PDB file of all heavy atoms in Angstrom:
ATOM      1  N   GLY A1128    -170.385  20.577  -8.898  1.00 97.00           N
ATOM      2  CA  GLY A1128    -169.426  20.802  -7.809  1.00 97.00           C
ATOM      3  C   GLY A1128    -169.697  22.023  -6.950  1.00 97.00           C
ATOM      4  O   GLY A1128    -168.835  22.434  -6.177  1.00 97.00           O
ATOM      5  N   LYS A1129    -170.890  22.592  -7.033  1.00 98.00           N
ATOM      6  CA  LYS A1129    -171.199  23.803  -6.245  1.00 98.00           C
ATOM      7  C   LYS A1129    -170.988  23.576  -4.750  1.00 98.00           C
ATOM      8  O   LYS A1129    -170.286  24.339  -4.084  1.00 98.00           O
ATOM      9  CB  LYS A1129    -172.666  24.228  -6.466  1.00 98.00           C
ATOM     10  CG  LYS A1129    -172.989  24.688  -7.862  1.00 98.00           C
ATOM     11  CD  LYS A1129    -174.426  25.170  -7.982  1.00 98.00           C
ATOM     12  CE  LYS A1129    -175.458  24.070  -7.838  1.00 98.00           C
ATOM     13  NZ  LYS A1129    -175.385  23.057  -8.908  1.00 98.00           N
ATOM     14  N   SER A1130    -171.626  22.535  -4.210  1.00 98.00           N
ATOM     15  CA  SER A1130    -171.549  22.321  -2.755  1.00 98.00           C
ATOM     16  C   SER A1130    -170.129  21.957  -2.336  1.00 98.00           C
ATOM     17  O   SER A1130    -169.628  22.436  -1.318  1.00 98.00           O
ATOM     18  CB  SER A1130    -172.528  21.227  -2.326  1.00 98.00           C
ATOM     19  OG  SER A1130    -173.835  21.600  -2.701  1.00 98.00           O
ATOM     20  N   THR A1131    -169.490  21.114  -3.133  1.00 98.00           N
ATOM     21  CA  THR A1131    -168.104  20.721  -2.849  1.00 98.00           C
ATOM     22  C   THR A1131    -167.210  21.957  -2.776  1.00 98.00           C
ATOM     23  O   THR A1131    -166.411  22.110  -1.847  1.00 98.00           O
ATOM     24  CB  THR A1131    -167.597  19.795  -3.982  1.00 98.00           C
ATOM     25  OG1 THR A1131    -168.473  18.668  -4.070  1.00 98.00           O
ATOM     26  CG2 THR A1131    -166.186  19.319  -3.733  1.00 98.00           C
ATOM     27  N   ILE A1132    -167.350  22.842  -3.746  1.00 98.00           N
ATOM     28  CA  ILE A1132    -166.493  24.032  -3.831  1.00 98.00           C
ATOM     29  C   ILE A1132    -166.851  25.040  -2.734  1.00 98.00           C
ATOM     30  O   ILE A1132    -165.968  25.673  -2.144  1.00 98.00           O
ATOM     31  CB  ILE A1132    -166.560  24.620  -5.252  1.00 98.00           C
ATOM     32  CG1 ILE A1132    -165.790  23.682  -6.201  1.00 98.00           C
ATOM     33  CG2 ILE A1132    -166.020  26.041  -5.313  1.00 98.00           C
ATOM     34  CD1 ILE A1132    -166.158  23.790  -7.645  1.00 98.00           C
ATOM     35  N   ALA A1133    -168.142  25.169  -2.427  1.00 98.00           N
ATOM     36  CA  ALA A1133    -168.555  26.075  -1.333  1.00 98.00           C
ATOM     37  C   ALA A1133    -167.886  25.644  -0.030  1.00 98.00           C
ATOM     38  O   ALA A1133    -167.341  26.467   0.719  1.00 98.00           O
ATOM     39  CB  ALA A1133    -170.079  26.067  -1.195  1.00 98.00           C
ATOM     40  N   VAL A1134    -167.892  24.340   0.236  1.00 98.00           N
ATOM     41  CA  VAL A1134    -167.310  23.823   1.488  1.00 98.00           C
ATOM     42  C   VAL A1134    -165.777  23.923   1.448  1.00 98.00           C
ATOM     43  O   VAL A1134    -165.152  24.319   2.442  1.00 98.00           O
ATOM     44  CB  VAL A1134    -167.771  22.365   1.732  1.00 98.00           C
ATOM     45  CG1 VAL A1134    -166.963  21.695   2.828  1.00 98.00           C
ATOM     46  CG2 VAL A1134    -169.260  22.343   2.081  1.00 98.00           C
ATOM     47  N   MET A1135    -165.163  23.620   0.307  1.00 98.00           N
ATOM     48  CA  MET A1135    -163.709  23.743   0.193  1.00 98.00           C
ATOM     49  C   MET A1135    -163.270  25.177   0.449  1.00 98.00           C
ATOM     50  O   MET A1135    -162.296  25.426   1.181  1.00 98.00           O
ATOM     51  CB  MET A1135    -163.246  23.323  -1.218  1.00 98.00           C
ATOM     52  CG  MET A1135    -163.152  21.814  -1.389  1.00 98.00           C
ATOM     53  SD  MET A1135    -162.882  21.248  -3.094  1.00 98.00           S
ATOM     54  CE  MET A1135    -161.555  22.195  -3.658  1.00 98.00           C
ATOM     55  N   LEU A1136    -163.983  26.139  -0.144  1.00 98.00           N
ATOM     56  CA  LEU A1136    -163.614  27.549   0.044  1.00 98.00           C
ATOM     57  C   LEU A1136    -163.853  27.993   1.483  1.00 98.00           C
ATOM     58  O   LEU A1136    -163.100  28.813   2.018  1.00 98.00           O
ATOM     59  CB  LEU A1136    -164.401  28.439  -0.928  1.00 98.00           C
ATOM     60  CG  LEU A1136    -163.845  28.479  -2.353  1.00 98.00           C
ATOM     61  CD1 LEU A1136    -164.805  29.201  -3.284  1.00 98.00           C
ATOM     62  CD2 LEU A1136    -162.475  29.177  -2.378  1.00 98.00           C
ATOM     63  N   ALA A1137    -164.871  27.434   2.124  1.00 98.00           N
ATOM     64  CA  ALA A1137    -165.142  27.781   3.529  1.00 98.00           C
ATOM     65  C   ALA A1137    -163.990  27.294   4.407  1.00 98.00           C
ATOM     66  O   ALA A1137    -163.439  28.054   5.222  1.00 98.00           O
ATOM     67  CB  ALA A1137    -166.464  27.157   3.982  1.00 98.00           C
ATOM     68  N   HIS A1138    -163.596  26.043   4.233  1.00 98.00           N
ATOM     69  CA  HIS A1138    -162.476  25.503   5.010  1.00 98.00           C
ATOM     70  C   HIS A1138    -161.208  26.316   4.747  1.00 98.00           C
ATOM     71  O   HIS A1138    -160.463  26.637   5.676  1.00 98.00           O
ATOM     72  CB  HIS A1138    -162.230  24.032   4.633  1.00 98.00           C
ATOM     73  CG  HIS A1138    -163.143  23.068   5.340  1.00 98.00           C
ATOM     74  ND1 HIS A1138    -163.596  21.905   4.752  1.00 98.00           N
ATOM     75  CD2 HIS A1138    -163.670  23.080   6.595  1.00 98.00           C
ATOM     76  CE1 HIS A1138    -164.362  21.249   5.617  1.00 98.00           C
ATOM     77  NE2 HIS A1138    -164.422  21.937   6.732  1.00 98.00           N
TER      78      HIS A1138
END
Side-chain angles (χ1 to χ4, degrees):
K1129 294 183 292 296
S1130 302
T1131 303
I1132 288 158
V1134 167
M1135 280 170 50
L1136 280 171
H1138 278 146

